[in-house]
């Protein structure tokens, strides 16, 4: 039985007002400048976002004793991000996860996306939204600091049909909740799955593997995959398998089990089928993460139907953080709220197509309940 963490130090309601600041971060090969935007809640939580890739560069969160550290993996320089193939902290699109062989047909017309992962298209192809410079606009209110990012993806971009206008809004409120709102508007029918690819380590990037973190996923089914990470078909029940996280379990408890799905991926890299949202509120809890050492807790709430759980199986020490820390295998976990992988080819999956005159909206919140546990007064939580 885990010993209880130290009593949480609450995020204070009083303090400086939220703020947004900016600093130069480098220049892209074509000469365009990249800016690092800092969202400060005024109550101890800070987020740094780049307008290249919409990358969440840092997310500083106090632990249960009030000591701050970033809880996401980041890189040192813009050149490091330009060379990165692990999608650290990036916004992902036009289609997150994989499309088998990069091919799909829509309304009778075939389309081909460049393949970049074992013969399949991953995260939008070779030049996805993580490789784009987004237009940034800071936004402020008395209770939150926000950054709006806009991107236009033209017709034929990476083989996808139709011009797509995408907006991403990062909002950090005074309770320490980081909210990401994604909106996509299409001029002709196109499949869309947008997600965020933060690598979380609640002990801090130098905290070692996350195998001791406790994970809970609010799902009783997941999508088994073949040896190239393409879904095999219908969802499978998690009960009685190493994929059952309906109650909190250490990530490392069964990650090395003799199970074909774990052996093929080198750990967890699977999409969980989330329970339908409650009536009247499309935002529901999808996952909880807890580091007993630091006392930090994370809850992910989302409107998306799927959650890809990836345990950093391909991290091999070649990437380093700003402090020189090497990012090793299982050194972080990604919790990627998204549409189902390969859904453009699977009519039995939720429909990922956005059509003219409609828009796809999704919201994901990263909440830190250990900061709110002792917050004074009513309404201390974000919801």
């Amino acid at each position: 039985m885990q010993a209880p963490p130290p009593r949480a130090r609450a995020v204070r309601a009083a303090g400086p007002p939220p703020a947004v600041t900016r600093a130069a971060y480098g220049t892209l090969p074509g000469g365009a400048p990249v800016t690092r935007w800092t969202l400060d809640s005024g109550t101890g939580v800070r987020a740094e976002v780049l307008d290249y890739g919409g990358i969440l560069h840092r997310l500083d969160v106090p632990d249960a004793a009030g000591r701050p550290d970033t809880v996401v993996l980041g890189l040192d320089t813009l050149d490091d991000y330009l060379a990165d193939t692990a999608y650290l902290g990036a916004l992902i699109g036009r289609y997150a996860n994989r499309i088998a062989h990069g091919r799909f047909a829509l309304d009778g017309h075939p389309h081909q996306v460049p393949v970049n992962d074992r013969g399949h298209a991953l995260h939008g192809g070779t030049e996805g939204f993580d490789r784009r410079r987004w237009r940034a606009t800071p936004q402020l209110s008395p209770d939150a600091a926000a950054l709006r990012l806009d991107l236009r993806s033209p017709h034929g971009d990476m083989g996808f049909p139709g011009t797509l206008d995408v907006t991403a809004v990062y909002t950090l409120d005074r309770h320490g909740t980081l909210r990401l709102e994604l909106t996509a508007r299409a001029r002709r029918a196109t499949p869309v799955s947008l997600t965020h690819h933060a690598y979380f380590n609640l002990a801090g990037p130098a905290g070692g593997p996350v195998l001791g973190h406790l994970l809970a996923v609010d799902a009783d089914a997941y999508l088994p995959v073949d040896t190239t990470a393409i879904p095999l078909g219908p969802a499978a029940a998690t009960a009685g398998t190493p994929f059952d996280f309906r109650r909190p379990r250490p990530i490392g408890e069964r990650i090395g089990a003799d199970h074909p799905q774990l052996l093929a991926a080198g750990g967890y890299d699977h999409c969980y089928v989330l329970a339908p949202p409650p009536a009247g509120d499309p935002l529901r809890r999808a996952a909880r993460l807890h580091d007993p050492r630091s006392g930090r807790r994370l809850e992910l709430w989302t409107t998306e139907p799927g959650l890809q759980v990836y345990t950093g199986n391909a991290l091999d020490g070649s990437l380093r953080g700003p402090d020189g820390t090497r990012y090793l295998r299982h050194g972080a976990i990604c919790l990627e709220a998204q549409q189902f992988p390969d859904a453009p080819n699977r009519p039995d999956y939720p429909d990922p197509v956005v059509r003219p005159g409609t828009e796809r909206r999704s919201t994901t919140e990263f909440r830190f309940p250990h900061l709110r546990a002792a917050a004074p007064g009513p309404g201390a939580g974000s919801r």
Side-chain angles (χ1 to χ4, degrees):
M1 181 176 179
Q2 295 286 347
R7 181 174 175 82
R9 178 175 295 179
V11 173
R12 293 166 295 128
V20 181
T21 56
R22 59 185 295 175
Y25 191 71
T27 304
L28 294 173
V34 172
T35 299
R36 182 183 70 231
W37 298 85
T38 299
L39 311 181
D40 194 330
S41 68
T43 53
V45 180
R46 296 169 68 251
E48 294 182 0
V49 179
L50 307 182
D51 52 21
Y52 170 76
I55 291 168
L56 181 62
H57 175 59
R58 288 184 65 95
L59 180 57
D60 292 340
V61 179
D63 66 10
R67 297 178 295 259
D69 197 357
T70 182
V71 297
V72 298
L73 304 192
L75 301 174
D76 190 18
T77 68
L78 178 59
D79 286 344
D80 293 332
Y81 281 112
L82 292 175
D84 172 34
T85 58
Y87 305 93
L88 260 67
L91 293 176
I92 302 297
R94 184 177 298 196
Y95 203 89
N97 216 311
R98 294 164 181 87
I99 297 176
H101 310 294
R103 296 194 297 265
F104 64 93
L106 181 58
D107 297 337
H109 299 286
H111 301 278
Q112 178 70 57
V113 181
V115 298
N116 57 341
D117 179 65
R118 292 169 286 181
H120 308 301
L122 173 65
H123 292 334
T126 51
E127 295 290 330
F129 293 174
D130 60 296
R131 298 284 180 183
R132 312 296 171 86
R133 182 174 178 267
W134 297 61
R135 186 174 74 253
T137 306
Q139 300 176 334
L140 269 177
S141 74
D143 298 314
L147 183 70
R148 172 174 171 152
L149 299 170
D150 290 283
L151 179 70
R152 171 163 289 181
S153 174
H155 171 65
D157 187 8
M158 290 288 102
F160 288 98
T163 297
L164 187 74
D165 290 309
V166 180
T167 298
V169 181
Y170 285 97
T171 302
L172 181 62
D173 70 22
R174 292 183 63 79
H175 301 292
T177 294
L178 181 66
R179 182 169 65 252
L180 178 60
E181 297 169 287
L182 299 168
T183 305
R185 300 177 181 87
R187 298 192 182 182
R188 59 183 285 188
T190 188
V192 177
S193 179
L194 307 175
T195 193
H196 191 265
H197 212 290
Y199 284 72
F200 286 99
N201 187 326
L202 299 185
V210 295
L211 300 180
H213 282 39
L214 302 178
L215 173 67
V217 180
D218 292 296
D220 56 14
Y222 77 107
L223 299 179
V225 295
D226 66 18
T227 56
T228 61
I230 297 297
L232 292 170
T238 61
T241 77
F243 292 87
D244 188 354
F245 285 96
R246 288 174 295 176
R247 65 176 179 85
R249 292 179 178 271
I251 293 171
E253 182 178 72
R254 297 173 295 176
I255 198 171
D258 186 17
H259 189 287
Q261 288 291 308
L262 292 173
L263 295 173
Y268 296 99
D269 191 7
H270 297 78
C271 185
Y272 280 78
V273 179
L274 299 177
D281 186 359
L283 193 69
R284 79 286 205 192
R285 191 184 66 187
R288 290 166 285 160
L289 192 64
H290 174 211
D291 172 39
R293 292 177 297 168
S294 68
R296 290 189 181 93
R297 295 176 182 268
L298 167 67
E299 290 184 354
L300 186 145
W301 293 63
T302 189
T303 60
E304 292 286 355
L307 181 75
Q308 186 80 8
V309 175
Y310 172 56
T311 49
N313 310 324
L315 296 176
D316 59 5
S318 60
L319 298 176
R320 298 190 186 196
D323 64 353
T325 297
R326 290 183 179 273
Y327 297 148
L328 302 175
R329 187 182 185 201
H330 305 322
I333 182 171
C334 300
L335 302 169
E336 308 162 50
Q338 59 186 243
Q339 299 289 306
F340 287 5
D342 201 33
N345 294 311
R346 310 292 180 112
D348 52 324
Y349 288 179
D351 184 7
V353 175
V354 177
R355 296 187 177 274
T358 66
E359 62 182 19
R360 167 74 50 74
R361 288 181 175 269
S362 71
T363 300
T364 298
E365 289 189 353
F366 305 97
R367 306 180 185 179
F368 298 94
H370 70 282
L371 300 179
R372 306 193 302 266
S382 64
R383 282 184 179 264

